[in-house]
Amino acid sequence: MGSRLTPYLSFGGDARQAMEFYRDVFGGSLTLSTFGEFGPSDAPYADNIMHGQLETPSGFTLMGADNPPGEEHHPASGYSVSLSGDDADELRGYWEKLSADGSVSVPLEKQMWGDVFGMCTDRFGVPWLVNIAGQAA
């Protein structure tokens, strides 16, 4: 296997819900491992997610986990997860699900450079950019 670059998202106790949400958005196969599987099963954080990985039919990989015990959670800042391509129906479908119950900072609409673009933050605090490539002239 060659090298890959994969978003790895951090959550403050709701990684299971977030990763299940992303499976509902993108489809695919989700694996979740808890801290209790690899440590004390009776610890208060035992059900928190130590590692989650989503592999989607579109070839996306998204990973995420709850903060390790004793570490403070710092919400997302200074980055966005970007989705782009030319399959307008697929990307609009992702946008609708990601932006639902979240906040939209730039509506998904045609931009001056010719593409349809939008920015939102989903209900788990993860910022997303969606870009649908415009038609070539």
Side-chain angles (χ1 to χ4, degrees):
M1 177 172 102
S3 299
R4 298 190 321 182
L5 178 64
T6 304
Y8 203 112
L9 307 176
S10 175
F11 300 95
D14 56 357
R16 178 181 304 277
Q17 296 90 337
M19 295 302 291
E20 289 172 350
F21 169 72
Y22 299 132
R23 180 189 56 207
D24 292 345
V25 170
F26 299 112
S29 175
L30 176 63
T31 56
L32 298 171
S33 300
T34 65
F35 285 103
E37 291 175 53
F38 298 96
S41 60
D42 60 347
Y45 55 83
D47 289 333
N48 284 12
I49 301 303
M50 185 182 82
H51 176 73
Q53 182 166 327
L54 177 64
E55 297 287 343
T56 76
S58 295
F60 306 149
T61 300
L62 186 62
M63 296 181 188
D66 288 310
N67 279 8
E71 282 194 28
E72 184 179 341
H73 177 67
H74 299 283
S77 176
Y79 76 91
S80 297
V81 181
S82 178
L83 292 168
S84 58
D86 59 6
D87 188 330
D89 291 338
E90 178 182 52
L91 291 163
R92 284 182 189 283
Y94 296 152
W95 170 265
E96 291 302 320
K97 292 175 183 176
L98 290 167
S99 63
D101 299 322
S103 64
V104 172
S105 55
V106 176
L108 186 66
E109 57 191 23
K110 189 162 185 161
Q111 302 297 324
M112 65 182 128
W113 61 88
D115 293 353
V116 172
F117 174 83
M119 295 171 57
C120 69
T121 300
D122 70 30
R123 65 178 131 178
F124 295 98
V126 175
W128 294 87
L129 309 175
V130 175
N131 192 86
I132 303 168
Q135 298 296 321

